[in-house]
């Protein structure tokens, strides 16, 4: 499945990833409201409506239509994938475990209701626009005594995020 393959697939209600799917390009499900499931696929896993790679070290896609307000990323996850939570309008809190070391581009972009983010000390890379447009963000905690590489090519916390208001 290629880059932006299901971009803006508003009319599609569900997608099934058959066993023949071996890879998923970045932002493949960007602005896609379809429910995604895995059908006997040895490359991906699907747990509580969330799409992961097989060993669950990469969180690929959290459904934009899932109406939970809190989510705890499993401790098996090392990378929060590009656009993984992008455009979710329900989440107010996402708990990032200490197993995560990378937050890819657009991971939480336009998650407008997220009010608190705690970045554990294990995180060493935050890619471009990772928290762009998280306009309700009022508490940002970075528990890392070591430098975090923050992509400076695009605004990691841009798009109306008021960092001065963050604690």
């Amino acid at each position: 499945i290629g880059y932006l393959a299901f971009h803006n697939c508003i009319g599609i209600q569900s997608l099934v990833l058959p066993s023949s799917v071996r890879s998923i390009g970045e932002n493949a499900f960007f602005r896609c409201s379809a429910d995604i499931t895995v059908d006997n696929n040895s490359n991906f896993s699907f747990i509580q409506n969330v799409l992961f790679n097989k060993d669950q070290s990469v969180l690929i896609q959290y459904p934009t239509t899932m109406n939970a307000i809190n989510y705890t990323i499993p401790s098996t996850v090392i990378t929060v994938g590009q656009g993984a939570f992008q455009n979710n309008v329900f989440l107010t809190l996402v708990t990032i475990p200490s197993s995560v070391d990378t937050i890819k581009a657009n991971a939480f972009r336009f998650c407008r209701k997220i009010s608190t983010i705690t970045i554990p000390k294990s995180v060493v890379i935050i890619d471009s626009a990772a928290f762009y447009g998280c306009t309700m963000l009022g508490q940002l905690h970075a528990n890392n005594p070591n430098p975090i590489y923050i992509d400076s090519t695009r605004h990691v916390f841009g798009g109306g995020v008021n960092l001065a208001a963050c604690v």
Side-chain angles (χ1 to χ4, degrees):
I1 298 176
Y3 173 76
L4 291 174
F6 292 98
H7 175 253
N8 281 333
C9 68
I10 306 303
I12 299 174
Q13 293 183 1
S14 64
L15 290 169
V16 178
L17 302 181
S19 59
S20 59
V21 174
R22 295 178 188 225
S23 67
I24 297 175
E26 292 184 343
N27 282 327
F29 304 106
F30 176 64
R31 292 186 180 161
C32 180
S33 60
D35 290 326
I36 302 166
T37 57
V38 175
D39 183 26
N40 197 26
N41 189 302
S42 62
N43 299 301
F44 303 98
S45 58
F46 190 69
I47 300 165
Q48 297 176 339
N49 298 324
V50 180
L51 180 63
F52 299 88
N53 66 340
K54 191 60 175 181
D55 68 1
Q56 299 163 30
S57 63
V58 179
L59 192 155
I60 298 170
Q61 183 71 41
Y62 182 93
T64 58
T65 56
M66 190 179 301
N67 62 3
I69 59 170
N70 298 323
Y71 180 70
T72 298
I73 295 173
S75 61
T76 57
V77 173
I78 297 169
T79 301
V80 178
Q82 183 167 339
F85 291 88
Q86 186 165 299
N87 292 315
N88 183 285
V89 297
F90 301 103
L91 288 170
T92 60
L93 174 68
V94 175
T95 303
I96 302 171
S98 61
S99 58
V100 171
D101 67 11
T102 303
I103 299 173
K104 297 292 247 175
N106 304 312
F108 296 93
R109 186 177 181 139
F110 295 124
C111 289
R112 298 188 191 279
K113 290 190 179 180
I114 288 182
S115 59
T116 302
I117 290 287
T118 299
I119 300 170
K121 64 182 176 182
S122 57
V123 173
V124 294
I125 297 172
I126 301 176
D127 282 342
S128 64
F131 298 98
Y132 187 94
C134 294
T135 54
M136 296 298 291
L137 187 60
Q139 293 186 25
L140 173 65
H141 305 277
N143 297 326
N144 196 334
N146 300 313
I148 299 172
Y149 171 77
I150 297 178
D151 187 327
S152 62
T153 60
R154 289 186 49 210
H155 300 287
V156 170
F157 296 100
V161 175
N162 183 2
L163 285 181
C166 288
V167 175

